[in-house]
Amino acid sequence: MKILVVADMEERLLYECFRKERVEGVDLIISCGDLRAGYLDFLMTMVNVPMIYVMGNHDNSLVKNPPLGAELIEERVIKFKGYKIAGLGGCIRYNNRNINMYTEPEMKLRCVKLFCKSILKGGIDIFVAHAPCKGYGDLEDFPHRGFNCFNWFLNKVKPMYMLHGHVHTNYSRSIKTEYKHPSGTTITNCCGYKIIELPDRE
């Protein structure tokens, strides 16, 4: 299975210079947040596959005008082609202007709820978030700190992948985009876009 993951920045190669061969074989699009509905609608139309998404901290407009046909997976576990995928959007609360922000205790409660759902679903293969995990791809400034409760969640659930955005790769040349968590989870910053390939399942 091939997944196109997008987040934060509209990728010129996928938009202004779209070429079908760049997304050949993609089965699913995942958005990790902070992308406008028009861009997501374009990708769904051109790639012509299902899309799932979580909310970023700049996605207030998506509440009233969501991408048409895409499926919001906030605090849910869904199954796609044999893989169980769950989502928790938003970032650390650093102001009161945006609705998709949470304190550490608030996000911990969401993690606990999702963990309970994961038990009922038989686990999670892919965890989709907007914010990073604390200590794994976050930054020192408060708005871009990761959630420590995500460490707890990964250690409990042990998904194959955690996909996130929020930390733009153009902030610094030294930003690392992939980590191996002690739980065994591969954490990938999908700012712009990434292609994730997984073995096919029945």
Side-chain angles (χ1 to χ4, degrees):
M1 182 173 74
K2 186 182 285 190
I3 305 171
L4 169 64
V5 192
V6 294
D8 299 292
M9 299 192 303
E10 295 184 8
E11 178 57 59
R12 187 170 177 268
L13 291 176
L14 295 178
Y15 195 43
E16 295 176 20
C17 304
F18 180 85
R19 288 166 58 185
K20 188 71 174 178
E21 55 265 32
R22 289 197 180 102
V23 293
E24 193 69 39
V26 166
D27 299 291
L28 177 69
I29 304 171
I30 296 177
S31 171
C32 296
D34 280 359
L35 290 168
R36 62 187 180 88
Y39 178 69
L40 299 179
D41 288 337
F42 174 85
L43 291 179
M44 273 189 292
T45 299
M46 299 304 291
V47 185
N48 195 28
V49 296
M51 174 184 285
I52 59 177
Y53 70 103
V54 295
M55 303 287 276
N57 56 297
H58 296 298
D59 281 340
N60 290 5
S61 63
L62 296 192
V63 176
K64 291 185 177 179
N65 299 294
L68 297 175
E71 184 176 2
L72 182 65
I73 60 165
E74 293 281 350
E75 299 184 30
R76 296 175 56 210
V77 182
I78 67 157
K79 195 169 184 178
F80 184 84
K81 290 187 176 289
Y83 285 90
K84 285 162 281 192
I85 308 171
L88 288 175
C91 75
I92 200 85
R93 184 180 297 282
Y94 62 88
N95 66 37
N96 294 314
R97 294 192 300 272
N98 296 332
I99 62 174
N100 302 308
M101 293 185 177
Y102 303 88
T103 63
E104 182 73 37
E106 287 171 341
M107 187 59 84
K108 178 63 180 288
L109 180 58
R110 299 181 79 210
C111 284
V112 170
K113 289 178 179 177
L114 190 58
F115 171 61
C116 293
K117 292 177 182 178
S118 76
I119 294 174
L120 296 174
K121 296 287 187 177
I124 292 171
D125 299 301
I126 302 170
F127 173 47
V128 182
H130 178 63
C133 189
K134 186 171 178 59
Y136 297 90
D138 59 342
L139 301 178
E140 292 184 3
D141 65 304
F142 189 69
H144 295 98
R145 285 185 192 172
F147 285 106
N148 193 43
C149 56
F150 285 172
N151 285 302
W152 174 88
F153 186 76
L154 295 184
N155 285 325
K156 282 285 190 181
V157 180
K158 296 179 172 56
M160 297 169 60
Y161 277 94
M162 174 183 174
L163 310 175
H164 73 87
H166 192 54
V167 177
H168 295 209
T169 51
N170 61 359
Y171 288 162
S172 169
R173 291 183 180 179
S174 63
I175 287 179
K176 187 177 174 182
T177 59
E178 190 163 301
Y179 291 83
K180 197 70 172 182
H181 192 266
S183 63
T185 301
T186 299
I187 299 175
T188 303
N189 180 346
C190 300
C191 179
Y193 84 102
K194 296 277 186 182
I195 298 287
I196 307 290
E197 295 196 49
L198 300 169
D200 287 337
R201 288 182 177 175
E202 301 219 350

